[in-house]
Each structure stands twice: as C-alpha cells, then as structure tokens.
Amino acid sequence: MLRARRLFRALRSCSSAPCPRPRPSARLSVRDALGSLGTSGERVKVQGWIRSVRSQKEVLFLHVNDGSSLESLQVVADSSCDSRELAFGSSVEVQGQLVKSPSKRQNVELKAEEIKVIGSCDSQEFPIKYKERHPLEYLRQYPHLRCRTNILGSILRVRSEATAAIHSFFKDSGFVHIHTPIITSNDCEGAGELFQVEPSSKINLPEKNFFDVPAFLTVSGQLHLEVMSGISYTEAIEILKKASQNFTFTPEWGADLQTEHEKYLVKHCGNIPVFVINYPLALKPFYMRDNEDGPQHTVAAVDLLVPGIGELFGGSLREERHHVLEQRLARSGLTEAYQWYLDLRRFGSVPHGGFGMGFERYLQCILGIDNIKDVVPFPRFTHSCLL
C-alpha cells in the first residue's frame, strides 16, 4: 500500500497534465530566476533546454537554460521523475518553488513540482555533445543548433547589446535610422564584386530583367544615405617599405593596403587605433572628394585601423561639386546609372561626409574572435550557404 501511494505521488508530480495550484505560477526567464531576490518559496514556471542531467538515489538534478543567461538554473526534483526523455538537449517546462540554494555555486534553485518534456532529444544523434568543447569550425556545420552552445549564445548576446548601444548613441546624438535598399542597381564601392539578383523564372524569360535593369545585392548603403541630409597613406607606404617583415603583397604607392599591411601599421604605431588618410584617387570610389594635390592625386578618405583586425571604419568627404563629379562619372561611363546621385548635387547640395563601420569586425575586436564567420548567426561564405 505504501509503495502504491509513493508511485501515485510520483506520477502526480511528473504528469504532463496540470495539477491544481493554490495560485498560478509566474513565468520567468532563467536570467530573471537567477536574479530573483524573493526566494521565499515563490511558485514559478521556467522553460528551456536541458544542459545537464545528474541522477542520484533520491534526487534528480537538472540544469536548464533558455538562452537569456550564460549561467543555467539548477532544478531539483524527486528521483522518481527521472526518465529517458530528460536528456541533454531536450526542451522542458518546469513548475515549482524558487528557493535559496544550500550550494555555494548558485544563489537560488528551482524545487520542481512538475516537469513537462516539450521536445525530446536523442543525445546520441544530437551533433552537440555534452561536456565536449567543440571547435568553432565544427559548430559552423550546424548554424541552426550552434546557438545553444555557451560560446555562440554569449557572442549573440554581446552582438545584441552592441547593436542596441550603437543605435542608442546615434539616436541620442540626433541621427535618424534609415533602412537603405538591400537590392540595388549601384556598385557603391566600385570594385565590381557584386552578386546579381535574378528571378528564378528568368531561365524561361532570358531577355527580361525583373527590375528592367540589372540588380545586385548591395555592398553599402552610404550613397542612399545622402538623400538624408593618423597618418597619411603616403606615410603608411613608407613605413611598410622600411619594415623588416616580409609581406605576401609588396607595398607600393598606388596599391591598396592589405590586411597584413594594416595589422603591421597598428603594431608599428604602438598597438593603438590608427587613422590612415588621403588615399590615391584611383583606389577609391568615385564619390570621394578630390584633394587636388597635384601629381599624387589623392582623395579625402580615411580608414580606422584597430589591433588584431585591421580596417574597422572607412569614410570620406563627399565630392559636393557638381561639375567635378559629373566629369568623373563621364570618364567612367557611369553618368546614366548615377543621374539620381548627380541630382543630389544639382538641387541644394552641401559639403558633407560619411562613413561605414564593419559591425562584424567590431564584434571581432571587442570579443577577440579570430574568424568573422563566428560573430554572424548564419554566416555565408565561399562554398557554404547552409540553411
């Protein structure tokens, strides 16, 4: 009889059907639960994925995480609640009392009254293994699952905070956030390295363009934003020429700075951020302002180089003089494509400038991540477009 009563209590506590409660459970994120000050038996509900399972003779310990915190919440339950479905990777909903933990490792723990498995996980087939430190290269094969790991979860939380901080800074400074086109007919940077966008039906209509003009994925929104109103490059080349280091790309005036050059310049200047200004006109896009400096012929451009990364920011003064810009576009055969841009000079133009920041490079810088692929939730790169 006693064993039957124990079995009945165990089935009640582990049942997927909700049990009558004196008062409803407050749903908390793991972060809020861990930061809770009121631990006098408050009844709460927590949802998340199981990070670890430890079963003892009379007690079952689970660590549950929902992505809101690096730290997991410890759940303590009766050992009779243990089942094969309570495995690493399974998603669960736990209801119980939030109490002060006797362990020094955490302030609070959740004393489970009910554990419901929402989605079971076969830990043998799950590509992320418990207690294994998978290399970032391995995790890139599973972009849909890698966010459940501590390292990617942390990177994405920092990414979110960095995005919010940048937006907050510009908003507080009086700037307006503009969504520039993702699909464009302009090659803003002038490198010609664009991905063309075509409808899947074009194979049947090869003579037609969906937009009536060739369209591409944009590489920069700087030109569209104009609708809303160091050291010099020459010095940098001299430093590089005198360097004892052997470069893969030989530094020459008129050649673009490579990442190896940029990193060397940062080290040469004391491992601090370095502004490089006045690049050769031939290296830069058509919209940068001509310095009119004789034979060198440079433009008023600036790049910010930072330790470990190289270029982080790139910007310039814009060529506000209509006749100069028109002549430059005519020489390049781009006048017709950029007539809209010339209109910005014809109708009330003012001297101005602009810059762009490589946000993923910024995250690399503050996080110390070597490969840019690991600060992007779903990276796209040569020979890889997973999902």
Side-chain angles (χ1 to χ4, degrees), residues 166-228:
I166 291 169
H167 278 265
S168 177
F169 170 81
F170 282 106
K171 182 179 179 181
D172 293 345
S173 301
F175 288 84
V176 176
H177 182 208
I178 304 298
H179 291 274
T180 57
I182 295 173
I183 298 176
T184 179
S185 58
N186 306 311
D187 183 357
C188 177
E189 302 301 330
E193 298 173 349
L194 298 174
F195 289 95
Q196 188 159 355
V197 178
E198 298 176 348
S200 58
S201 60
K202 187 169 182 180
I203 189 169
N204 300 320
L205 300 168
E207 73 284 357
K208 293 184 179 180
N209 284 303
F210 185 84
F211 297 101
D212 293 330
V213 295
F216 310 91
L217 295 180
T218 187
V219 293
S220 174
Q222 292 189 51
L223 298 191
H224 293 90
L225 289 175
E226 292 189 32
V227 175
M228 305 291 292

Side-chain angles (χ1 to χ4, degrees), residues 165-305:
I166 291 169
H167 278 265
S168 177
F169 170 81
F170 282 106
K171 182 179 179 181
D172 293 345
S173 301
F175 288 84
V176 176
H177 182 208
I178 304 298
H179 291 274
T180 57
I182 295 173
I183 298 176
T184 179
S185 58
N186 306 311
D187 183 357
C188 177
E189 302 301 330
E193 298 173 349
L194 298 174
F195 289 95
Q196 188 159 355
V197 178
E198 298 176 348
S200 58
S201 60
K202 187 169 182 180
I203 189 169
N204 300 320
L205 300 168
E207 73 284 357
K208 293 184 179 180
N209 284 303
F210 185 84
F211 297 101
D212 293 330
V213 295
F216 310 91
L217 295 180
T218 187
V219 293
S220 174
Q222 292 189 51
L223 298 191
H224 293 90
L225 289 175
E226 292 189 32
V227 175
M228 305 291 292
S229 300
I231 59 175
S232 71
Y233 168 87
T234 300
E235 291 172 312
I237 292 298
E238 291 303 315
I239 291 170
L240 293 169
K241 283 184 174 181
K242 295 175 182 177
S244 57
Q245 180 175 326
N246 292 322
F247 297 110
T248 303
F249 297 90
T250 304
E252 294 290 344
W253 202 98
D256 209 352
L257 295 180
Q258 303 296 322
T259 301
E260 59 177 343
H261 302 149
E262 294 169 344
K263 290 182 177 181
Y264 179 86
L265 290 170
V266 170
K267 289 181 181 178
H268 176 84
C269 294
N271 257 336
I272 59 173
V274 178
F275 285 101
V276 179
I277 63 172
N278 299 334
Y279 282 79
L281 180 145
L283 289 181
K284 293 297 183 180
F286 68 90
Y287 53 79
M288 296 189 175
R289 198 181 198 281
D290 193 336
N291 282 330
E292 299 179 299
D293 51 355
Q296 284 192 324
H297 212 177
T298 63
V299 290
V302 59
D303 286 347
L304 174 61
L305 314 181

Side-chain angles (χ1 to χ4, degrees), residues 3-16:
R3 291 180 63 187
R5 286 178 180 175
R6 286 179 180 172
L7 178 61
F8 177 73
R9 283 199 299 269
L11 288 171
R12 259 188 88 187
S13 65
C14 298
S15 171
S16 59

Side-chain angles (χ1 to χ4, degrees), residues 26 69 79 81 93 108 124 157 162 184 186 189 198 248 264 288 291 308-309 341 351 357:
S69 167
S79 60
C81 290
E93 179 182 279
V108 297
Q124 296 298 317
R157 278 191 288 273
T184 179
N186 306 311
E189 302 301 330
E198 298 176 348
T248 303
Y264 179 86
M288 296 189 175
N291 282 330
I309 304 299
Y341 194 66
M357 178 184 76

Side-chain angles (χ1 to χ4, degrees), residues 65-98:
N65 196 292
D66 61 358
S68 63
S69 167
L70 179 63
E71 187 180 353
S72 298
L73 175 66
Q74 178 166 280
V75 175
V76 182
D78 190 277
S79 60
S80 58
C81 290
D82 196 6
S83 75
R84 293 182 62 184
E85 288 190 310
L86 293 177
F88 173 67
S90 294
S91 58
V92 294
E93 179 182 279
V94 184
Q95 295 192 62
Q97 294 183 38
L98 199 60

